[in-house]
Amino acid sequence: MRASHLNFIAQAKPSGLWRWLLCLAGLLALGLWWRQAWQQQQINQALQQQLATIQPAPKPMPQRSASEQRELQAQAKIISAAVRQLNLPLAELLRTVQAPKDIRVSLLGLDLNAKGGSQGLIKIQAETHSTAEMMNYVAFLDEQRWLQSVYLVKHEMPGVGNDAVVRFVVEAQWRP
């Protein structure tokens, strides 16, 4: 007798059709994605070319002679000095040079453009009725923390008697 082989489990039919369809769908999706990426790259390149034609080319800096360069540097120094002058805290400066009530001095002028004004040299013109008041005012200015190198430049007494006034000029270095 011959031996027989009995198998009660049904064998699946070898069908690879669904696998092939799944692989084909994946390849189709990959192809569509690649096509879209390629089109996007073409659009980006076209836009870059348009942008390059619209933007002006940078102009090279002109070569200047040594005399022109010195002139430009001199202008820059003048402009810097003007900017420093504009940046002075004028309200603080006016409060600093204003005499207290016990010193009777009238301010006649304040020159911020005194020689060396870019370094903060100011010239104060004032008048009072006595030389003692004048010296008190100079001492007062010398004690101010915003001023240094305070000195009396000149003074004059144009009137005589009770109408005598003392006009004087004080120079000081302003420390902003």
Side-chain angles (χ1 to χ4, degrees), residues 119-152:
Q119 286 83 24
L121 186 67
I122 60 171
K123 193 180 283 189
I124 304 165
Q125 299 169 352
E127 74 177 10
T128 185
H129 288 288
S130 71
T131 55
E133 291 287 337
M134 174 184 70
M135 295 311 293
N136 286 341
Y137 182 66
V138 172
F140 163 76
L141 290 176
D142 195 38
E143 293 172 356
Q144 300 302 307
R145 70 179 192 147
W146 295 108
L147 298 176
Q148 66 184 11
S149 303
V150 178
Y151 56 94
L152 182 66

PDB file of all heavy atoms in Angstrom, residues 119-152:
ATOM      1  N   GLN A 119      34.348 120.373  21.278  1.00  0.00           N
ATOM      2  CA  GLN A 119      34.821 119.694  22.475  1.00  0.00           C
ATOM      3  C   GLN A 119      34.008 120.112  23.689  1.00  0.00           C
ATOM      4  O   GLN A 119      34.337 119.754  24.808  1.00  0.00           O
ATOM      5  CB  GLN A 119      36.314 119.989  22.731  1.00  0.00           C
ATOM      6  CG  GLN A 119      37.236 119.269  21.781  1.00  0.00           C
ATOM      7  CD  GLN A 119      37.403 119.996  20.462  1.00  0.00           C
ATOM      8  OE1 GLN A 119      37.219 121.191  20.369  1.00  0.00           O
ATOM      9  NE2 GLN A 119      37.715 119.254  19.422  1.00  0.00           N
ATOM     10  N   GLY A 120      33.007 120.958  23.540  1.00  0.00           N
ATOM     11  CA  GLY A 120      32.140 121.344  24.637  1.00  0.00           C
ATOM     12  C   GLY A 120      32.545 122.627  25.324  1.00  0.00           C
ATOM     13  O   GLY A 120      32.182 122.839  26.472  1.00  0.00           O
ATOM     14  N   LEU A 121      33.299 123.503  24.658  1.00  0.00           N
ATOM     15  CA  LEU A 121      33.677 124.784  25.254  1.00  0.00           C
ATOM     16  C   LEU A 121      32.518 125.753  25.070  1.00  0.00           C
ATOM     17  O   LEU A 121      32.032 125.947  23.963  1.00  0.00           O
ATOM     18  CB  LEU A 121      34.939 125.337  24.598  1.00  0.00           C
ATOM     19  CG  LEU A 121      35.509 126.594  25.221  1.00  0.00           C
ATOM     20  CD1 LEU A 121      36.025 126.293  26.615  1.00  0.00           C
ATOM     21  CD2 LEU A 121      36.624 127.143  24.358  1.00  0.00           C
ATOM     22  N   ILE A 122      32.060 126.332  26.178  1.00  0.00           N
ATOM     23  CA  ILE A 122      30.964 127.300  26.107  1.00  0.00           C
ATOM     24  C   ILE A 122      31.446 128.629  26.670  1.00  0.00           C
ATOM     25  O   ILE A 122      32.347 128.680  27.504  1.00  0.00           O
ATOM     26  CB  ILE A 122      29.712 126.804  26.861  1.00  0.00           C
ATOM     27  CG1 ILE A 122      30.017 126.580  28.331  1.00  0.00           C
ATOM     28  CG2 ILE A 122      29.158 125.560  26.233  1.00  0.00           C
ATOM     29  CD1 ILE A 122      28.805 126.299  29.173  1.00  0.00           C
ATOM     30  N   LYS A 123      30.838 129.683  26.175  1.00  0.00           N
ATOM     31  CA  LYS A 123      31.180 131.041  26.616  1.00  0.00           C
ATOM     32  C   LYS A 123      29.898 131.653  27.180  1.00  0.00           C
ATOM     33  O   LYS A 123      28.875 131.710  26.501  1.00  0.00           O
ATOM     34  CB  LYS A 123      31.694 131.849  25.433  1.00  0.00           C
ATOM     35  CG  LYS A 123      32.352 133.145  25.816  1.00  0.00           C
ATOM     36  CD  LYS A 123      32.838 133.905  24.604  1.00  0.00           C
ATOM     37  CE  LYS A 123      34.102 133.287  24.077  1.00  0.00           C
ATOM     38  NZ  LYS A 123      34.726 134.124  23.026  1.00  0.00           N
ATOM     39  N   ILE A 124      29.982 132.127  28.427  1.00  0.00           N
ATOM     40  CA  ILE A 124      28.835 132.701  29.132  1.00  0.00           C
ATOM     41  C   ILE A 124      29.083 134.189  29.295  1.00  0.00           C
ATOM     42  O   ILE A 124      30.105 134.588  29.839  1.00  0.00           O
ATOM     43  CB  ILE A 124      28.646 132.045  30.514  1.00  0.00           C
ATOM     44  CG1 ILE A 124      28.503 130.533  30.361  1.00  0.00           C
ATOM     45  CG2 ILE A 124      27.460 132.648  31.240  1.00  0.00           C
ATOM     46  CD1 ILE A 124      28.658 129.766  31.646  1.00  0.00           C
ATOM     47  N   GLN A 125      28.141 135.012  28.821  1.00  0.00           N
ATOM     48  CA  GLN A 125      28.223 136.467  28.983  1.00  0.00           C
ATOM     49  C   GLN A 125      27.159 136.864  30.001  1.00  0.00           C
ATOM     50  O   GLN A 125      26.002 136.464  29.880  1.00  0.00           O
ATOM     51  CB  GLN A 125      27.983 137.162  27.657  1.00  0.00           C
ATOM     52  CG  GLN A 125      29.002 136.797  26.607  1.00  0.00           C
ATOM     53  CD  GLN A 125      28.601 137.272  25.216  1.00  0.00           C
ATOM     54  OE1 GLN A 125      27.496 137.748  25.004  1.00  0.00           O
ATOM     55  NE2 GLN A 125      29.517 137.116  24.280  1.00  0.00           N
ATOM     56  N   ALA A 126      27.581 137.647  30.989  1.00  0.00           N
ATOM     57  CA  ALA A 126      26.657 138.019  32.060  1.00  0.00           C
ATOM     58  C   ALA A 126      27.014 139.403  32.585  1.00  0.00           C
ATOM     59  O   ALA A 126      28.038 139.980  32.219  1.00  0.00           O
ATOM     60  CB  ALA A 126      26.731 136.984  33.181  1.00  0.00           C
ATOM     61  N   GLU A 127      26.129 139.916  33.441  1.00  0.00           N
ATOM     62  CA  GLU A 127      26.400 141.201  34.093  1.00  0.00           C
ATOM     63  C   GLU A 127      25.829 141.174  35.497  1.00  0.00           C
ATOM     64  O   GLU A 127      24.892 140.436  35.796  1.00  0.00           O
ATOM     65  CB  GLU A 127      25.851 142.373  33.286  1.00  0.00           C
ATOM     66  CG  GLU A 127      24.364 142.544  33.339  1.00  0.00           C
ATOM     67  CD  GLU A 127      23.886 143.780  32.574  1.00  0.00           C
ATOM     68  OE1 GLU A 127      24.675 144.411  31.849  1.00  0.00           O
ATOM     69  OE2 GLU A 127      22.700 144.103  32.713  1.00  0.00           O
ATOM     70  N   THR A 128      26.438 142.007  36.343  1.00  0.00           N
ATOM     71  CA  THR A 128      26.010 142.142  37.730  1.00  0.00           C
ATOM     72  C   THR A 128      26.373 143.552  38.202  1.00  0.00           C
ATOM     73  O   THR A 128      26.961 144.321  37.440  1.00  0.00           O
ATOM     74  CB  THR A 128      26.654 141.061  38.619  1.00  0.00           C
ATOM     75  OG1 THR A 128      26.112 141.160  39.926  1.00  0.00           O
ATOM     76  CG2 THR A 128      28.152 141.167  38.642  1.00  0.00           C
ATOM     77  N   HIS A 129      26.075 143.892  39.458  1.00  0.00           N
ATOM     78  CA  HIS A 129      26.342 145.233  39.975  1.00  0.00           C
ATOM     79  C   HIS A 129      27.631 145.315  40.782  1.00  0.00           C
ATOM     80  O   HIS A 129      28.032 146.409  41.183  1.00  0.00           O
ATOM     81  CB  HIS A 129      25.162 145.731  40.820  1.00  0.00           C
ATOM     82  CG  HIS A 129      23.972 146.073  39.978  1.00  0.00           C
ATOM     83  ND1 HIS A 129      23.917 147.170  39.168  1.00  0.00           N
ATOM     84  CD2 HIS A 129      22.794 145.423  39.805  1.00  0.00           C
ATOM     85  CE1 HIS A 129      22.768 147.202  38.532  1.00  0.00           C
ATOM     86  NE2 HIS A 129      22.058 146.142  38.893  1.00  0.00           N
ATOM     87  N   SER A 130      28.282 144.181  41.052  1.00  0.00           N
ATOM     88  CA  SER A 130      29.529 144.261  41.838  1.00  0.00           C
ATOM     89  C   SER A 130      30.491 143.158  41.402  1.00  0.00           C
ATOM     90  O   SER A 130      30.076 142.111  40.888  1.00  0.00           O
ATOM     91  CB  SER A 130      29.237 144.130  43.338  1.00  0.00           C
ATOM     92  OG  SER A 130      28.857 142.820  43.642  1.00  0.00           O
ATOM     93  N   THR A 131      31.759 143.427  41.640  1.00  0.00           N
ATOM     94  CA  THR A 131      32.764 142.419  41.288  1.00  0.00           C
ATOM     95  C   THR A 131      32.678 141.226  42.238  1.00  0.00           C
ATOM     96  O   THR A 131      33.015 140.103  41.857  1.00  0.00           O
ATOM     97  CB  THR A 131      34.183 143.031  41.347  1.00  0.00           C
ATOM     98  OG1 THR A 131      34.393 143.610  42.632  1.00  0.00           O
ATOM     99  CG2 THR A 131      34.369 144.051  40.249  1.00  0.00           C
ATOM    100  N   ALA A 132      32.186 141.457  43.460  1.00  0.00           N
ATOM    101  CA  ALA A 132      32.025 140.346  44.406  1.00  0.00           C
ATOM    102  C   ALA A 132      30.990 139.352  43.880  1.00  0.00           C
ATOM    103  O   ALA A 132      31.188 138.129  43.950  1.00  0.00           O
ATOM    104  CB  ALA A 132      31.630 140.871  45.779  1.00  0.00           C
ATOM    105  N   GLU A 133      29.863 139.876  43.344  1.00  0.00           N
ATOM    106  CA  GLU A 133      28.838 139.005  42.762  1.00  0.00           C
ATOM    107  C   GLU A 133      29.405 138.250  41.552  1.00  0.00           C
ATOM    108  O   GLU A 133      29.095 137.072  41.344  1.00  0.00           O
ATOM    109  CB  GLU A 133      27.612 139.824  42.339  1.00  0.00           C
ATOM    110  CG  GLU A 133      26.827 140.406  43.474  1.00  0.00           C
ATOM    111  CD  GLU A 133      26.015 139.360  44.240  1.00  0.00           C
ATOM    112  OE1 GLU A 133      25.695 138.286  43.682  1.00  0.00           O
ATOM    113  OE2 GLU A 133      25.722 139.620  45.409  1.00  0.00           O
ATOM    114  N   MET A 134      30.227 138.925  40.770  1.00  0.00           N
ATOM    115  CA  MET A 134      30.850 138.286  39.614  1.00  0.00           C
ATOM    116  C   MET A 134      31.710 137.106  40.064  1.00  0.00           C
ATOM    117  O   MET A 134      31.616 136.000  39.515  1.00  0.00           O
ATOM    118  CB  MET A 134      31.700 139.295  38.839  1.00  0.00           C
ATOM    119  CG  MET A 134      32.505 138.691  37.709  1.00  0.00           C
ATOM    120  SD  MET A 134      33.583 139.904  36.890  1.00  0.00           S
ATOM    121  CE  MET A 134      34.801 140.175  38.170  1.00  0.00           C
ATOM    122  N   MET A 135      32.534 137.319  41.080  1.00  0.00           N
ATOM    123  CA  MET A 135      33.404 136.249  41.560  1.00  0.00           C
ATOM    124  C   MET A 135      32.607 135.117  42.211  1.00  0.00           C
ATOM    125  O   MET A 135      32.959 133.949  42.081  1.00  0.00           O
ATOM    126  CB  MET A 135      34.443 136.813  42.537  1.00  0.00           C
ATOM    127  CG  MET A 135      35.423 137.780  41.881  1.00  0.00           C
ATOM    128  SD  MET A 135      36.153 137.154  40.343  1.00  0.00           S
ATOM    129  CE  MET A 135      37.121 135.810  40.944  1.00  0.00           C
ATOM    130  N   ASN A 136      31.510 135.485  42.896  1.00  0.00           N
ATOM    131  CA  ASN A 136      30.635 134.446  43.464  1.00  0.00           C
ATOM    132  C   ASN A 136      30.040 133.575  42.360  1.00  0.00           C
ATOM    133  O   ASN A 136      29.917 132.358  42.510  1.00  0.00           O
ATOM    134  CB  ASN A 136      29.527 135.070  44.300  1.00  0.00           C
ATOM    135  CG  ASN A 136      30.026 135.597  45.621  1.00  0.00           C
ATOM    136  OD1 ASN A 136      31.101 135.219  46.086  1.00  0.00           O
ATOM    137  ND2 ASN A 136      29.266 136.502  46.224  1.00  0.00           N
ATOM    138  N   TYR A 137      29.649 134.220  41.261  1.00  0.00           N
ATOM    139  CA  TYR A 137      29.068 133.459  40.143  1.00  0.00           C
ATOM    140  C   TYR A 137      30.108 132.536  39.498  1.00  0.00           C
ATOM    141  O   TYR A 137      29.814 131.388  39.193  1.00  0.00           O
ATOM    142  CB  TYR A 137      28.478 134.418  39.100  1.00  0.00           C
ATOM    143  CG  TYR A 137      27.828 133.699  37.936  1.00  0.00           C
ATOM    144  CD1 TYR A 137      26.686 132.940  38.122  1.00  0.00           C
ATOM    145  CD2 TYR A 137      28.372 133.771  36.660  1.00  0.00           C
ATOM    146  CE1 TYR A 137      26.096 132.273  37.066  1.00  0.00           C
ATOM    147  CE2 TYR A 137      27.791 133.118  35.600  1.00  0.00           C
ATOM    148  CZ  TYR A 137      26.653 132.359  35.802  1.00  0.00           C
ATOM    149  OH  TYR A 137      26.077 131.690  34.760  1.00  0.00           O
ATOM    150  N   VAL A 138      31.317 133.033  39.316  1.00  0.00           N
ATOM    151  CA  VAL A 138      32.380 132.194  38.745  1.00  0.00           C
ATOM    152  C   VAL A 138      32.653 131.009  39.668  1.00  0.00           C
ATOM    153  O   VAL A 138      32.811 129.871  39.216  1.00  0.00           O
ATOM    154  CB  VAL A 138      33.662 133.021  38.477  1.00  0.00           C
ATOM    155  CG1 VAL A 138      34.810 132.125  38.064  1.00  0.00           C
ATOM    156  CG2 VAL A 138      33.402 134.078  37.410  1.00  0.00           C
ATOM    157  N   ALA A 139      32.682 131.252  40.987  1.00  0.00           N
ATOM    158  CA  ALA A 139      32.882 130.162  41.948  1.00  0.00           C
ATOM    159  C   ALA A 139      31.717 129.174  41.898  1.00  0.00           C
ATOM    160  O   ALA A 139      31.920 127.954  41.983  1.00  0.00           O
ATOM    161  CB  ALA A 139      33.046 130.727  43.353  1.00  0.00           C
ATOM    162  N   PHE A 140      30.491 129.704  41.750  1.00  0.00           N
ATOM    163  CA  PHE A 140      29.318 128.839  41.632  1.00  0.00           C
ATOM    164  C   PHE A 140      29.448 127.927  40.416  1.00  0.00           C
ATOM    165  O   PHE A 140      29.183 126.724  40.487  1.00  0.00           O
ATOM    166  CB  PHE A 140      28.041 129.693  41.549  1.00  0.00           C
ATOM    167  CG  PHE A 140      26.844 128.961  41.029  1.00  0.00           C
ATOM    168  CD1 PHE A 140      26.153 128.071  41.839  1.00  0.00           C
ATOM    169  CD2 PHE A 140      26.415 129.145  39.715  1.00  0.00           C
ATOM    170  CE1 PHE A 140      25.053 127.376  41.346  1.00  0.00           C
ATOM    171  CE2 PHE A 140      25.320 128.464  39.226  1.00  0.00           C
ATOM    172  CZ  PHE A 140      24.631 127.576  40.037  1.00  0.00           C
ATOM    173  N   LEU A 141      29.837 128.496  39.265  1.00  0.00           N
ATOM    174  CA  LEU A 141      29.988 127.690  38.050  1.00  0.00           C
ATOM    175  C   LEU A 141      31.077 126.637  38.212  1.00  0.00           C
ATOM    176  O   LEU A 141      30.953 125.511  37.718  1.00  0.00           O
ATOM    177  CB  LEU A 141      30.304 128.581  36.848  1.00  0.00           C
ATOM    178  CG  LEU A 141      29.178 129.480  36.348  1.00  0.00           C
ATOM    179  CD1 LEU A 141      29.681 130.363  35.207  1.00  0.00           C
ATOM    180  CD2 LEU A 141      27.979 128.664  35.915  1.00  0.00           C
ATOM    181  N   ASP A 142      32.140 126.989  38.913  1.00  0.00           N
ATOM    182  CA  ASP A 142      33.242 126.052  39.105  1.00  0.00           C
ATOM    183  C   ASP A 142      32.825 124.853  39.950  1.00  0.00           C
ATOM    184  O   ASP A 142      33.401 123.775  39.834  1.00  0.00           O
ATOM    185  CB  ASP A 142      34.426 126.774  39.751  1.00  0.00           C
ATOM    186  CG  ASP A 142      35.700 125.973  39.646  1.00  0.00           C
ATOM    187  OD1 ASP A 142      35.908 125.336  38.583  1.00  0.00           O
ATOM    188  OD2 ASP A 142      36.491 125.970  40.608  1.00  0.00           O
ATOM    189  N   GLU A 143      31.804 125.014  40.791  1.00  0.00           N
ATOM    190  CA  GLU A 143      31.325 123.915  41.636  1.00  0.00           C
ATOM    191  C   GLU A 143      30.347 122.993  40.905  1.00  0.00           C
ATOM    192  O   GLU A 143      30.028 121.927  41.429  1.00  0.00           O
ATOM    193  CB  GLU A 143      30.641 124.488  42.879  1.00  0.00           C
ATOM    194  CG  GLU A 143      31.587 125.201  43.812  1.00  0.00           C
ATOM    195  CD  GLU A 143      30.859 125.920  44.931  1.00  0.00           C
ATOM    196  OE1 GLU A 143      29.610 125.925  44.931  1.00  0.00           O
ATOM    197  OE2 GLU A 143      31.534 126.491  45.795  1.00  0.00           O
ATOM    198  N   GLN A 144      29.864 123.392  39.743  1.00  0.00           N
ATOM    199  CA  GLN A 144      28.878 122.583  39.022  1.00  0.00           C
ATOM    200  C   GLN A 144      29.548 121.330  38.457  1.00  0.00           C
ATOM    201  O   GLN A 144      30.628 121.397  37.877  1.00  0.00           O
ATOM    202  CB  GLN A 144      28.220 123.387  37.895  1.00  0.00           C
ATOM    203  CG  GLN A 144      27.495 124.623  38.361  1.00  0.00           C
ATOM    204  CD  GLN A 144      26.412 124.282  39.373  1.00  0.00           C
ATOM    205  OE1 GLN A 144      25.563 123.439  39.129  1.00  0.00           O
ATOM    206  NE2 GLN A 144      26.462 124.934  40.524  1.00  0.00           N
ATOM    207  N   ARG A 145      28.880 120.206  38.594  1.00  0.00           N
ATOM    208  CA  ARG A 145      29.487 118.948  38.142  1.00  0.00           C
ATOM    209  C   ARG A 145      29.531 118.828  36.625  1.00  0.00           C
ATOM    210  O   ARG A 145      30.303 118.053  36.090  1.00  0.00           O
ATOM    211  CB  ARG A 145      28.775 117.749  38.746  1.00  0.00           C
ATOM    212  CG  ARG A 145      27.383 117.536  38.210  1.00  0.00           C
ATOM    213  CD  ARG A 145      26.734 116.328  38.821  1.00  0.00           C
ATOM    214  NE  ARG A 145      25.535 116.033  38.048  1.00  0.00           N
ATOM    215  CZ  ARG A 145      25.068 114.839  37.849  1.00  0.00           C
ATOM    216  NH1 ARG A 145      25.673 113.813  38.373  1.00  0.00           N
ATOM    217  NH2 ARG A 145      23.996 114.650  37.137  1.00  0.00           N
ATOM    218  N   TRP A 146      28.709 119.567  35.913  1.00  0.00           N
ATOM    219  CA  TRP A 146      28.686 119.487  34.444  1.00  0.00           C
ATOM    220  C   TRP A 146      29.725 120.400  33.803  1.00  0.00           C
ATOM    221  O   TRP A 146      29.916 120.354  32.598  1.00  0.00           O
ATOM    222  CB  TRP A 146      27.303 119.855  33.905  1.00  0.00           C
ATOM    223  CG  TRP A 146      26.246 118.885  34.324  1.00  0.00           C
ATOM    224  CD1 TRP A 146      25.260 119.103  35.238  1.00  0.00           C
ATOM    225  CD2 TRP A 146      26.080 117.550  33.873  1.00  0.00           C
ATOM    226  NE1 TRP A 146      24.493 117.994  35.379  1.00  0.00           N
ATOM    227  CE2 TRP A 146      24.970 117.006  34.542  1.00  0.00           C
ATOM    228  CE3 TRP A 146      26.756 116.733  32.973  1.00  0.00           C
ATOM    229  CZ2 TRP A 146      24.525 115.714  34.348  1.00  0.00           C
ATOM    230  CZ3 TRP A 146      26.311 115.435  32.769  1.00  0.00           C
ATOM    231  CH2 TRP A 146      25.213 114.943  33.451  1.00  0.00           C
ATOM    232  N   LEU A 147      30.367 121.236  34.605  1.00  0.00           N
ATOM    233  CA  LEU A 147      31.350 122.178  34.065  1.00  0.00           C
ATOM    234  C   LEU A 147      32.722 121.901  34.655  1.00  0.00           C
ATOM    235  O   LEU A 147      32.853 121.518  35.820  1.00  0.00           O
ATOM    236  CB  LEU A 147      30.935 123.614  34.378  1.00  0.00           C
ATOM    237  CG  LEU A 147      29.615 124.091  33.784  1.00  0.00           C
ATOM    238  CD1 LEU A 147      29.305 125.490  34.267  1.00  0.00           C
ATOM    239  CD2 LEU A 147      29.636 124.037  32.280  1.00  0.00           C
ATOM    240  N   GLN A 148      33.727 122.112  33.848  1.00  0.00           N
ATOM    241  CA  GLN A 148      35.104 122.020  34.320  1.00  0.00           C
ATOM    242  C   GLN A 148      35.915 123.113  33.640  1.00  0.00           C
ATOM    243  O   GLN A 148      35.482 123.677  32.643  1.00  0.00           O
ATOM    244  CB  GLN A 148      35.701 120.643  34.028  1.00  0.00           C
ATOM    245  CG  GLN A 148      35.861 120.342  32.545  1.00  0.00           C
ATOM    246  CD  GLN A 148      36.362 118.930  32.303  1.00  0.00           C
ATOM    247  OE1 GLN A 148      36.391 118.126  33.217  1.00  0.00           O
ATOM    248  NE2 GLN A 148      36.746 118.645  31.089  1.00  0.00           N
ATOM    249  N   SER A 149      37.060 123.416  34.156  1.00  0.00           N
ATOM    250  CA  SER A 149      37.943 124.461  33.620  1.00  0.00           C
ATOM    251  C   SER A 149      37.209 125.792  33.472  1.00  0.00           C
ATOM    252  O   SER A 149      37.220 126.417  32.416  1.00  0.00           O
ATOM    253  CB  SER A 149      38.539 124.043  32.280  1.00  0.00           C
ATOM    254  OG  SER A 149      39.230 122.831  32.385  1.00  0.00           O
ATOM    255  N   VAL A 150      36.540 126.210  34.519  1.00  0.00           N
ATOM    256  CA  VAL A 150      35.802 127.477  34.510  1.00  0.00           C
ATOM    257  C   VAL A 150      36.784 128.599  34.816  1.00  0.00           C
ATOM    258  O   VAL A 150      37.525 128.537  35.798  1.00  0.00           O
ATOM    259  CB  VAL A 150      34.669 127.460  35.561  1.00  0.00           C
ATOM    260  CG1 VAL A 150      33.944 128.787  35.583  1.00  0.00           C
ATOM    261  CG2 VAL A 150      33.708 126.320  35.277  1.00  0.00           C
ATOM    262  N   TYR A 151      36.815 129.610  33.931  1.00  0.00           N
ATOM    263  CA  TYR A 151      37.681 130.754  34.197  1.00  0.00           C
ATOM    264  C   TYR A 151      37.091 132.018  33.596  1.00  0.00           C
ATOM    265  O   TYR A 151      36.370 131.994  32.616  1.00  0.00           O
ATOM    266  CB  TYR A 151      39.110 130.517  33.700  1.00  0.00           C
ATOM    267  CG  TYR A 151      39.226 130.161  32.246  1.00  0.00           C
ATOM    268  CD1 TYR A 151      39.457 131.130  31.287  1.00  0.00           C
ATOM    269  CD2 TYR A 151      39.114 128.839  31.830  1.00  0.00           C
ATOM    270  CE1 TYR A 151      39.559 130.809  29.952  1.00  0.00           C
ATOM    271  CE2 TYR A 151      39.216 128.502  30.496  1.00  0.00           C
ATOM    272  CZ  TYR A 151      39.449 129.485  29.560  1.00  0.00           C
ATOM    273  OH  TYR A 151      39.540 129.165  28.240  1.00  0.00           O
ATOM    274  N   LEU A 152      37.427 133.122  34.235  1.00  0.00           N
ATOM    275  CA  LEU A 152      36.971 134.445  33.818  1.00  0.00           C
ATOM    276  C   LEU A 152      37.868 134.923  32.687  1.00  0.00           C
ATOM    277  O   LEU A 152      39.075 135.007  32.836  1.00  0.00           O
ATOM    278  CB  LEU A 152      37.039 135.412  35.015  1.00  0.00           C
ATOM    279  CG  LEU A 152      36.563 136.825  34.781  1.00  0.00           C
ATOM    280  CD1 LEU A 152      35.076 136.853  34.494  1.00  0.00           C
ATOM    281  CD2 LEU A 152      36.887 137.679  35.998  1.00  0.00           C
TER     282      LEU A 152
END
